[in-house]
Amino acid sequence: AQTVTQSQPEMSVQEAETVTLSCTYDTSESDYYLFWYKQPPSRQMILVIRQEAYKQQNATENRFSVNFQKAAKSFSLKISDSQLGDAAMYFCAYRSYDSGGSNYKLTFGKGTLLTVNP
Amino acid sequence: DTEVTQTPKHLVMGMTNKKSLKCEQHMGHRAMYWYKQKAKKPPELMFVYSYEKLSINESVPSRFSPECPNSSLLNLHLHALQPEDSALYLCASSQRRRQNTGELFFGEGSRLTVL
């Protein structure tokens, strides 16, 4: 079974600074998806960024980028120029690419609560 | 704007009540999900529907009864719940495998309190 580990329960960053959230995972599969989801206090889970395992290039979405190290099974999220609106719980998640029921399961890490200080 | 709509946003019920949570999406997704989330915890998968058929039941107690009337709607019927069932219930949808970007789209959730 796949597991996702986020070793930082809480992080804080000063506004306009850069912060990196860590995520490691364990899988025996070669094809899969990795995601970072953001859940602000308003509750809705919002996709921040996605990475497909077969793509070597690290994904980037505006101020958000990932460092995907497939061999090391590491998938960290870098937030540049942090803004107050970035404050939220961030979940790293894994999804199998295979057929069958396992494809539907999104395995979440325990989350990292990010605080942005003005 | 959320593309997965959940109602109601808040629900308070007694242990003998029967209530339902509703979820709707119009993105043409054929997989829909119910998750349960406790405070400061990751969501826990409850049920998955694929093409309106129950695909996964994660050993959820029978007091939770899912229903998928059509490809756009997903219900969760609640009966004889316990106080420990109080949580945020999230609905999500996704495209089918190999047609999609892999992501799940989540609704804002229904906050359930069982007295």
Side-chain angles (χ1 to χ4, degrees):
Chain A
Q2 294 83 18
T3 59
V4 177
T5 301
Q6 292 179 250
S7 59
Q8 306 152 317
E10 297 185 19
M11 292 279 285
S12 64
V13 63
Q14 290 296 125
E15 199 174 0
E17 297 291 307
T18 296
V19 64
T20 299
L21 309 184
S22 300
C23 173
T24 59
Y25 59 95
D26 188 25
T27 183
S28 58
E29 299 175 328
S30 58
D31 284 333
Y32 46 87
Y33 303 98
L34 292 167
F35 307 96
W36 279 98
Y37 278 90
K38 167 186 177 182
Q39 190 176 35
S42 62
R43 311 181 309 192
Q44 187 179 11
M45 193 84 73
I46 302 166
L47 179 70
V48 175
I49 200 164
R50 78 170 68 81
Q51 177 83 42
E52 289 160 291
Y54 70 87
K55 292 185 177 179
Q56 294 186 344
Q57 187 172 5
N58 289 327
T60 299
E61 288 286 344
N62 300 314
R63 298 182 294 107
F64 299 88
S65 62
V66 298
N67 183 2
F68 173 48
Q69 302 286 332
K70 189 173 184 180
K73 296 179 182 175
S74 171
F75 183 61
S76 61
L77 174 70
K78 186 171 82 170
I79 305 174
S80 303
D81 185 25
S82 297
Q83 300 176 1
L84 295 177
D86 294 333
M89 181 73 88
Y90 286 81
F91 291 102
C92 178
Y94 172 104
R95 182 178 180 186
S96 173
Y97 197 67
D98 288 341
S99 60
S102 63
N103 173 251
Y104 293 111
K105 296 192 177 185
L106 196 62
T107 302
F108 287 94
K110 291 187 175 182
T112 297
L113 182 62
L114 179 67
T115 302
V116 181
N117 300 310
Chain B
D1 288 342
T2 179
E3 296 184 79
V4 177
T5 304
Q6 290 188 242
T7 56
K9 290 193 180 344
H10 298 274
L11 179 63
V12 179
M13 59 186 293
M15 289 190 286
T16 58
N17 292 156
K18 287 185 181 181
K19 297 286 185 183
S20 297
L21 305 181
K22 298 182 185 302
C23 175
E24 189 169 5
Q25 58 88 14
H26 294 289
M27 295 179 282
H29 292 171
R30 302 311 295 270
M32 296 186 75
Y33 310 72
W34 279 116
Y35 281 86
K36 173 183 178 180
Q37 187 179 27
K38 291 282 197 179
K40 296 189 177 181
K41 299 289 187 183
E44 299 173 8
L45 183 63
M46 300 174 71
F47 303 103
V48 180
Y49 273 83
S50 175
Y51 287 90
E52 296 91 69
K53 292 185 179 177
L54 186 63
S55 179
I56 294 176
N57 177 343
E58 292 285 87
S59 302
V60 178
S62 59
R63 57 185 184 269
F64 294 92
S65 176
E67 178 195 22
C68 191
N70 60 56
S71 60
S72 299
L73 294 175
L74 185 66
N75 298 321
L76 185 62
H77 302 297
L78 314 171
H79 174 54
L81 294 192
Q82 304 297 311
E84 58 264 29
D85 296 323
S86 298
L88 182 67
Y89 288 84
L90 294 168
C91 175
S93 69
S94 72
Q95 294 170 300
R96 285 283 294 169
R97 182 186 71 87
R98 298 190 187 279
Q99 299 170 354
N100 71 91
T101 54
E103 71 190 87
L104 271 62
F105 293 78
F106 287 86
E108 293 186 18
S110 294
R111 174 77 62 192
L112 173 67
T113 302
V114 182
L115 301 177

